[in-house]
Amino acid sequence: MMSKKRIELINLIQPAFYKIHRQIHNHEFTHFWFAGGRGSTKSSKVSIDIPLLLIKNPSCHAVVLRRVGNTLRNSVYPQISWGINSLGLSNKFDKSISPLEFTYKKTGQKIFFLGCDDEMKIKSFKPPFGYVGMVWFEECNQFVSMEQIRSLLQSLLRGGSKYWVFYSYNPPKSRDNWVNLEVLHDEPDKIVNHSSYLTVPREWLGEQFILEAEKLKNKNYDRYRHEYLGEVTGNGGNVFDNVEDIRLTDKQIYEFDRLRYGIDFGFSIDPLAFTAMQFDAKHEDLYIFDEIYQQKLKNSTLARMIKPKYKGALIYADSAEPKSIAELRDYGLNIIGAKKGPDSVEYGMKFLQDLNRIYIDRKRCPNTYNEFIKYEYEVNKNGEFISAYPDKNNHAIDSVRYALNDLITKRKLKVANKSMLGL
């Protein structure tokens, strides 16, 4: 007969994790890879394991890592807090926001949260006593390469007798992404677990989550496979596989009623890019039908080009150019800066990737079409694709992101709220 504590713990773990839970706490491996789609609860699983392992191993500390430091407070920090609370251990841990950390009161062991923006800080990192026994790479596909991760581990895993390293991620769409290639390599101290929402109790996720998943399944099966099942659906490094050439008539454009406009500034080397589009929220289709794409274009000339066609229309522009925005406003354009924040590029790209279709009239917008179909993920020094977006040949793409800025921000907040709930 199972103990009450054992039954309560099982109620926090979805069935796909039963076996790997035993393997973690029996220390059968060192490296535990958690791949999964949306709602698979993989991050929740790790956030339960770390406090439990900390208590069982009084000389160990834990370090939770993300590639960008300013994403920690709204992602892994509340996730670990959820894990501690769910285990009924909130009265046994002190928590701090500055610095971000949890402290096990009985022993002084800590759970640290570090960003990898400055790797030198991690290389000089030392716990107050004992050693770092647990490391969690959340969204590990955002790191540059396995070499970068190994370098970080060499700095952190010192002086101990046993270690647990966790990697959690949604598999990138590209088959050739370094993470998708890495998990194919069999190693004796490594295990890969793949999970999806399908094995999670429905009441954990809620009926609305299930309805959204089924809606996408019926609408765009490949996208459903990638987002919800965590499957690799891409064949190479292309960022966008939902772009389609279309011929739009003047009558169709005239009838558009959900119009959006964006500007990415440029001058001597980079072109200025202005794009006009229609967003069909119901079907999640984007129609791009006009562009201005030109080097050495003065703001006064740009205003004269835009005003006759789109007088009074709200335009979102790169907020890094407040002087140009103010000047264009003086010339009579209704223009504001697009709000930016941590991972704004990543969220914007994900928003565009998640659309059902991006229809581009190639005859009307040849430069925009070329950017979208040729844009590829960055490549590391080993020639492997990584989950990062090169800042080149993307001027029209950026203008489209800015045009959809408020919609992207709403989606980002929705995702962040789900993350804080442990989904």
Side-chain angles (χ1 to χ4, degrees), residues 281-309:
K282 181 179 179 180
H283 301 98
E284 295 197 331
D285 290 330
L286 184 67
Y287 297 84
I288 304 174
F289 59 85
D290 196 13
E291 71 172 29
I292 297 171
Y293 198 92
Q294 191 173 323
Q295 291 173 304
K296 299 182 179 179
L297 184 63
K298 294 181 179 179
N299 288 332
S300 57
T301 306
L302 174 66
R304 287 197 298 270
M305 296 169 74
I306 294 176
K307 282 177 67 176
K309 297 171 72 175

Side-chain angles (χ1 to χ4, degrees), residues 335-352:
I335 183 170
I336 60 175
K339 292 182 180 179
K340 296 183 179 181
D343 291 343
S344 60
V345 173
E346 180 186 340
Y347 277 104
M349 291 297 190
K350 186 71 168 61
F351 182 93
L352 293 172

Side-chain angles (χ1 to χ4, degrees), residues 178-191:
W178 75 264
V179 172
N180 293 333
L181 296 174
E182 178 64 29
V183 296
L184 297 177
H185 300 306
D186 291 329
E187 296 171 7
D189 62 345
K190 164 179 152 186
I191 188 168

Side-chain angles (χ1 to χ4, degrees), residues 3-127:
S3 67
K4 182 179 177 182
K5 183 179 290 187
R6 173 69 171 162
I7 294 172
E8 289 174 350
L9 187 56
I10 285 179
N11 289 335
L12 295 174
I13 301 171
Q14 68 130 312
F17 299 139
Y18 288 169
K19 182 178 179 180
I20 200 169
H21 181 80
R22 292 194 300 271
Q23 292 168 326
I24 289 169
H25 292 273
N26 291 335
H27 197 251
E28 295 179 26
F29 302 92
T30 298
H31 300 273
F32 298 87
W33 292 75
F34 286 90
R38 187 178 294 177
S40 62
T41 70
K42 56 191 178 297
S43 297
S44 299
K45 175 69 178 80
V46 180
S47 69
I48 288 170
D49 288 319
I50 287 178
L52 289 176
L53 290 170
L54 200 78
I55 292 171
K56 291 178 183 177
N57 298 274
S59 60
C60 287
H61 302 268
V63 171
V64 182
L65 299 170
R66 285 205 65 176
R67 182 177 62 85
V68 180
N70 60 13
T71 61
L72 293 164
R73 184 169 178 175
N74 294 319
S75 59
V76 282
Y77 183 79
Q79 183 65 71
I80 289 287
S81 181
W82 174 89
I84 290 171
N85 293 337
S86 297
L87 290 166
L89 299 173
S90 55
N91 63 332
K92 298 184 182 298
F93 281 84
D94 285 326
K95 62 181 180 179
S96 164
I97 293 177
S98 183
L100 289 177
E101 61 183 36
F102 289 89
T103 305
Y104 184 45
K105 295 178 183 178
K106 183 177 180 180
T107 60
Q109 293 167 269
K110 291 181 180 290
I111 303 173
F112 300 93
F113 298 83
L114 303 176
C116 298
D117 315 66
D118 185 356
E119 291 188 26
M120 293 306 297
K121 288 184 179 179
I122 294 176
K123 288 181 178 179
S124 60
F125 174 82
K126 279 190 176 181

